[in-house]
Amino acid sequence: MIIIRIKKLRKLPLISLVTIIGCISILSCTTPKADKNPKFDWFKYQGNDPIYEGLEVAEDEYVNPILAGFYPDPSIVRVGKDYYMVHSSFSYFPGIPIFHSTDLVNWNQIGHVLDRPSQLAVDSLGVSRGVFAPTIEYNDGTFYVLNTLVDAGGNFMVTATDPAGPWSDPIWLDRVGGIDPSIFFDDDGKVYVINNDAPEGRPLYQGHRAVWIREYDLATNKSISEPKVIINGGVDLSTKPIWIEGPHLIKVNGEYILHAAEGGTSTNHSQVVLKGDNPLGPFTPGPNNPILTQRHIPVDRDFPVEYTGHADMVETENGEWWTIFLGVRLYGDNHFNIGRETFLLPVTWKDGWPTILEGDEEVPVKLKRPNLPYAEKPKTPTHGNFTDIDEFNTNTLDDKWIMLRTPREDWYSFTEDGFLKLNARNHEISGLGNPSFLGRRQQHGYASASTKMIYNPEKEGDVAGLVAFQGERFYYLIGITLNEMDEKEIFVDKSEGGVVTRIASEKIIPNSSDEFFLQIEAREAEYDFSYALTEGDWKYLKKGADGTVLSTNKAGGFVGTVIGIYAYTN
């Protein structure tokens, strides 16, 4: 008796079903021939951060961050009982991931704001250029996202009646320079656009910036008042504050609350608040600025969340106030590989001023949940330790998958027998093109990513495998190739500062099925690379590679590590 295990079948045409039945009856069929275009059967991601191991989380508690991994610059809006959140995506495509929640803890991604090439032309840009700091707002049936496309057009707005899309093509803002535009709808029907830009006259010092505002007419897409500076430098110009940015204007009890990030997105990052009686100012700094920072607290603690700032605030339907903000989880000597993440904390009001953290209060790893009905856990987990497996058994990519820059051709597809296929092309992972690379964010310091790949390189230099990518000049690649002796070889390449070094390689015993299992394991400062020719029979190819190569503080930029599948041919 012969048992044939069929893991998954799509809705196959009749001829395909006949072929399968024929294979069973006459035992004459073979596995489809592998070639230079690899096929991937599944992709498994697992996060195992020690901080969550054994952590007791009560039913009325949640853990931080609420969106782990590279989800920086959060912005939030409430519409009734629904909450929507967006994030920066830089030169990744699709751009601006958008999430939905009803309890502020469990977030489901409902798509991307910029999911068409016509919306996001980031061709040839470095990975940390492109989409910076979006803001989402809602007014009278329409959602608005304002954003800066750095090095590719400037400040723009897109709109939608359904936050899941479709969103409009970019509407370029009139006379709004700089970065970080946001929009404010006042009770009297007036609309204002706020942004970060250079100050009036010459900057007084490096990092001297200002927050500007002007009244705006959405019908004509025109500024209808002269732009005006409402924050010069920061809350105290005499201290030479740097990079006042990410401004948000809200109205509470008839007063205008202006809050913004100050100090740059590194060790001195913070959130400050000011108040005024008119959206055009003047604004008076609050008595307890900054209302959020961790810069004064020693890093040597169990849950070292640093760089906190770039916050947004929301009032729930129950009258509670909460804030989302970015932070990083450090290891070792000020390193972090997984980017700037999104955290959630309550906001308290004292004498009419919002406060997030005071004194030496630390960002907690867990705390009491918002007073909202519990939502179902998301289909793709976003916080705590979890395992996420994609078996590529649909004809569309899950929203967690992203690529580098704007695609100008179709180079991936789903096969009838349940695989994701990449067309190998001559765009290298180290270049500024759109390589055949699909990745998902590394969301834990301790994590593993593995896949089953069907692949047969046809000529020297063909490559397919797994990449842990921080930037064009900082990444690891474990792949299969054909060497100069026409032999299959598995290898690990390290790119550090653009210098590529082969740190491990082995010749591969011929494998008639052309099946390869590849795995990357992260342990914060160290990465391990392993492979198998039969499932589960793992063998280390390189253990203990330098993980700081993937640290933002070594690689630079504003992104986090993305791990995914890759194919190349010249």
Side-chain angles (χ1 to χ4, degrees):
M1 178 179 177
I2 296 175
I3 299 176
I4 295 181
R5 175 172 169 254
I6 301 175
K7 183 174 74 73
K8 53 191 175 183
L9 288 175
R10 301 189 190 282
K11 293 181 179 179
L12 300 179
L14 180 60
I15 188 170
S16 299
L17 294 173
V18 170
T19 302
I20 292 172
I21 295 170
C23 291
I24 295 173
S25 62
I26 64 175
L27 305 178
S28 62
C29 293
T30 61
T31 302
K33 185 178 184 302
D35 57 26
K36 68 177 182 180
N37 299 316
K39 299 193 301 181
F40 296 87
D41 194 9
W42 47 260
F43 185 98
K44 178 181 179 181
Y45 175 87
Q46 188 167 12
N48 297 290
D49 283 338
I51 190 70
Y52 303 116
E53 292 296 329
L55 181 68
E56 295 184 4
V57 182
E59 187 177 354
D60 64 346
E61 294 179 319
Y62 72 95
V63 298
N64 267 317
I66 54 167
L67 256 66
F70 157 48
Y71 290 103
D73 306 327
S75 178
I76 191 170
V77 68
R78 176 173 71 90
V79 181
K81 296 183 178 181
D82 296 292
Y83 301 82
Y84 301 96
M85 183 163 59
V86 293
H87 307 267
S88 296
S89 54
F90 300 94
S91 290
Y92 281 101
F93 184 94
I96 311 184
I98 182 166
F99 290 81
H100 169 257
S101 177
T102 56
D103 66 0
L104 295 178
V105 172
N106 293 299
W107 292 88
N108 263 300
Q109 188 169 355
I110 57 174
H112 288 84
V113 173
L114 308 176
D115 59 4
R116 305 186 302 275
S118 63
Q119 296 173 299
L120 185 60
V122 288
D123 309 75
S124 303
L125 294 185
V127 70
S128 283
R129 313 311 288 168
V131 172
F132 279 46
T135 296
I136 186 169
E137 292 292 348
Y138 173 84
N139 185 65
D140 194 24
T142 300
F143 290 86
Y144 298 82
V145 168
L146 275 66
N147 190 230
T148 308
L149 200 53
V150 173
D151 295 341
N155 290 317
F156 67 93
M157 170 175 57
V158 290
T159 64
T161 55
D162 182 346
W167 289 78
S168 70
D169 278 349
I171 303 164
W172 301 100
L173 298 177
D174 173 53
R175 294 191 295 158
V176 180
I179 60 172
D180 295 5
S182 65
I183 192 167
F184 172 68
F185 297 91
D186 207 348
D187 300 335
D188 60 6
K190 291 183 177 180
V191 179
Y192 300 88
V193 171
I194 310 102
N195 67 296
N196 157 295
D197 208 343
E200 294 179 291
R202 294 187 61 178
L204 301 179
Y205 51 86
Q206 183 68 30
H208 178 199
R209 303 288 283 181
V211 171
W212 296 73
I213 191 170
R214 82 278 296 140
E215 190 178 348
Y216 208 85
D217 181 22
L218 291 175
T220 60
N221 189 38
K222 295 292 184 183
S223 295
I224 56 176
S225 72
E226 289 301 315
K228 179 182 179 182
V229 171
I230 51 175
I231 306 180
N232 182 16
V235 296
D236 184 357
L237 185 61
S238 68
T239 64
K240 297 184 178 180
I242 62 171
W243 290 107
I244 190 76
E245 58 190 5
H248 294 284
L249 188 60
I250 58 177
K251 194 173 185 179
V252 181
N253 297 326
E255 296 182 305
Y256 296 90
I257 307 293
L258 176 62
H259 62 103
E262 184 184 283
T265 59
S266 185
T267 53
N268 290 315
H269 205 201
S270 69
Q271 194 75 9
V272 296
V273 63
L274 306 92
K275 185 188 293 186
D277 296 324
N278 189 299
L280 297 176
F283 284 88
T284 302
N288 297 311
N289 279 316
I291 61 172
L292 170 66
T293 191
Q294 300 281 270
R295 63 193 178 202
H296 59 295
I297 303 176
V299 175
D300 186 16
R301 57 189 193 271
D302 291 339
F303 192 55
V305 179
E306 295 291 321
Y307 300 12
T308 53
H310 204 104
D312 200 0
M313 300 181 194
V314 67
E315 183 182 15
T316 72
E317 62 265 35
N318 294 323
E320 293 182 338
W321 281 84
W322 289 80
T323 182
I324 53 171
F325 59 94
L326 70 81
V328 303
R329 290 181 284 164
L330 296 179
Y331 71 88
D333 185 21
N334 206 33
H335 288 297
F336 62 102
N337 295 11
I338 55 180
R340 298 172 298 160
E341 311 175 273
T342 294
F343 295 77
L344 175 72
L345 284 179
V347 178
T348 58
W349 291 80
K350 296 182 179 181
D351 300 322
W353 293 94
T355 300
I356 302 170
L357 292 178
E358 294 183 287
D360 291 336
E361 287 183 321
E362 302 173 8
V363 176
V365 66
K366 66 171 184 175
L367 68 164
K368 192 171 182 179
R369 299 169 61 105
N371 181 26
L372 294 169
Y374 290 13
E376 291 185 5
K377 292 184 177 180
K379 60 179 181 179
T380 300
T382 63
H383 57 262
N385 287 341
F386 60 80
T387 299
D388 179 44
I389 301 174
D390 198 327
E391 293 193 331
F392 305 125
N393 53 7
T394 67
N395 285 317
T396 58
L397 281 176
D398 188 272
D399 286 325
K400 64 176 171 278
W401 293 100
I402 52 178
M403 66 181 70
L404 285 162
R405 305 176 196 90
T406 309
R408 299 300 178 184
E409 59 182 311
D410 295 330
W411 46 260
Y412 70 88
S413 59
F414 295 89
T415 66
E416 288 185 344
D417 49 349
F419 291 84
L420 173 62
K421 184 175 76 170
L422 299 186
N423 292 340
R425 297 148 62 238
N426 64 347
H427 292 272
E428 295 184 280
I429 194 71
S430 59
L432 294 178
N434 170 236
S436 298
F437 170 73
L438 290 171
R440 58 107 70 222
R441 292 159 173 85
Q442 181 183 329
Q443 297 178 274
H444 303 77
Y446 290 77
S448 66
S450 56
T451 192
K452 176 185 176 182
M453 178 177 72
I454 315 297
Y455 179 58
N456 184 25
E458 296 177 358
K459 62 179 183 299
E460 181 184 346
D462 286 357
V463 171
L466 282 179
V467 178
F469 184 85
Q470 175 68 227
E472 299 86 8
R473 302 168 67 243
F474 293 86
Y475 62 84
Y476 279 103
L477 162 63
I478 177 170
I480 309 296
T481 191
L482 204 62
N483 64 22
E484 66 276 5
M485 302 297 293
D486 207 31
E487 299 167 319
K488 285 183 184 176
E489 184 178 304
I490 185 167
F491 67 91
V492 177
D493 277 356
K494 175 183 75 172
S495 178
E496 183 174 3
V499 177
V500 179
T501 306
R502 184 146 297 180
I503 60 174
S505 66
E506 288 183 9
K507 295 177 183 177
I508 300 174
I509 299 173
N511 177 0
S512 60
S513 65
D514 291 319
E515 292 182 352
F516 303 97
F517 300 85
L518 304 174
Q519 182 168 260
I520 298 175
E521 296 171 276
R523 293 178 287 114
E524 289 188 335
E526 295 185 325
Y527 279 62
D528 305 330
F529 302 87
S530 53
Y531 74 97
L533 299 181
T534 56
E535 189 166 1
D537 187 22
W538 293 107
K539 177 182 178 181
Y540 283 113
L541 183 60
K542 176 65 178 181
K543 195 169 185 180
D546 179 12
T548 67
V549 167
L550 301 177
S551 167
T552 296
N553 279 340
K554 181 173 283 188
F558 305 111
V559 299
T561 300
V562 173
I563 302 180
I565 54 180
Y566 170 62
Y568 170 80
T569 183
N570 58 13

